[in-house]
Amino acid sequence: MPVTPLLAIHEDLGARLTDFGGWQMPLQYDGVISEHMAVRNKAGVFDISHLGRFAVSGRGSTDLLRSQLCNDITKIGPGRAQYTMALNSDGGVVDDVISWCIGEDQYWIIPNGVNSNKVMNPFISAAPDSVNITEMREGTVLLAIQGPSSTAILKEVLGLVPKRFRVEKGEFGGVPCWVAG
């Protein structure tokens, strides 16, 4: 069973772990009510590393995204994100995804965790030789911060707060990171 890269930290902090979409993930620490109230009143950080994510880069990446997703990725530019649907060959929906435009012909696709390969494999099959598809889950952590104090915490910790559907490159502890709003 895959595990979050932060598993040891969750264990050290006393997390109760569970199978979530085939991944060993934290379910709770102190209790559902106290954690719910903390997020409602201040903020909570959620490890969502089980979500899929893969990079699509190289000449032809934009055309590849246009062939696999229902929304037109050319409507956004670098530093923007777009909610869209990954489609099958009949035009049906495989999954809803978020596309991050990192730069010209550079994207991250964020599908739901259980559908990651169902979304990524058609990209791989349709990609021309000039396009690279790189699975990102094993080498990255994905965190979500939610609650009324979230923006202040992001500003203090990372020095930036991206607006809705914006993506910015930041740094945490000397390590580059991407931050999406």
Side-chain angles (χ1 to χ4, degrees):
M1 174 182 302
V3 299
T4 170
L6 301 178
L7 182 64
I9 294 169
H10 291 302
E11 290 174 332
D12 288 347
L13 293 172
R16 183 173 148 210
L17 302 168
T18 190
D19 178 347
F20 189 83
W23 281 63
Q24 185 77 14
M25 297 296 293
L27 177 64
Q28 67 182 31
Y29 290 88
D30 295 327
V32 174
I33 294 173
S34 65
E35 291 173 23
H36 170 81
M37 294 310 297
V39 174
R40 296 279 295 173
N41 295 322
K42 293 187 181 179
V45 177
F46 299 86
D47 183 344
I48 56 172
S49 297
H50 68 285
L51 288 180
R53 55 200 167 279
F54 59 94
V56 181
S57 61
R59 189 177 38 80
S61 294
T62 301
D63 289 337
L64 178 62
L65 266 66
R66 292 182 83 195
S67 75
Q68 299 296 311
L69 305 173
C70 70
N71 287 342
D72 187 355
I73 196 70
T74 65
K75 301 282 184 184
I76 66 169
R80 300 288 306 267
Q82 182 182 72
Y83 175 76
T84 187
M85 305 285 170
L87 305 176
N88 64 26
S89 60
D90 295 325
V93 174
V94 174
D95 198 7
D96 61 332
V97 302
I98 302 288
S99 301
W100 294 358
C101 182
I102 304 297
E104 186 175 338
D105 282 330
Q106 296 181 339
Y107 303 94
W108 274 28
I109 308 300
I110 319 290
N112 289 296
V114 296
N115 290 329
S116 187
N117 288 335
K118 289 179 187 172
V119 172
M120 185 173 60
N121 289 340
F123 275 80
I124 292 169
S125 296
D129 290 341
S130 61
V131 172
N132 297 307
I133 312 283
T134 307
E135 208 285 328
M136 304 292 290
R137 275 204 285 200
E138 288 189 27
T140 61
V141 170
L142 197 57
L143 300 174
I145 183 166
Q146 299 174 1
S149 299
S150 297
T151 55
I153 292 168
L154 279 174
K155 184 72 171 169
E156 181 180 332
V157 173
L158 299 174
L160 56 91
V161 180
K163 292 187 169 114
R164 184 173 166 82
F165 284 98
R166 301 293 196 277
V167 182
E168 295 184 37
K169 191 169 189 176
E171 186 176 295
F172 179 74
V175 177
C177 62
W178 288 97
V179 184

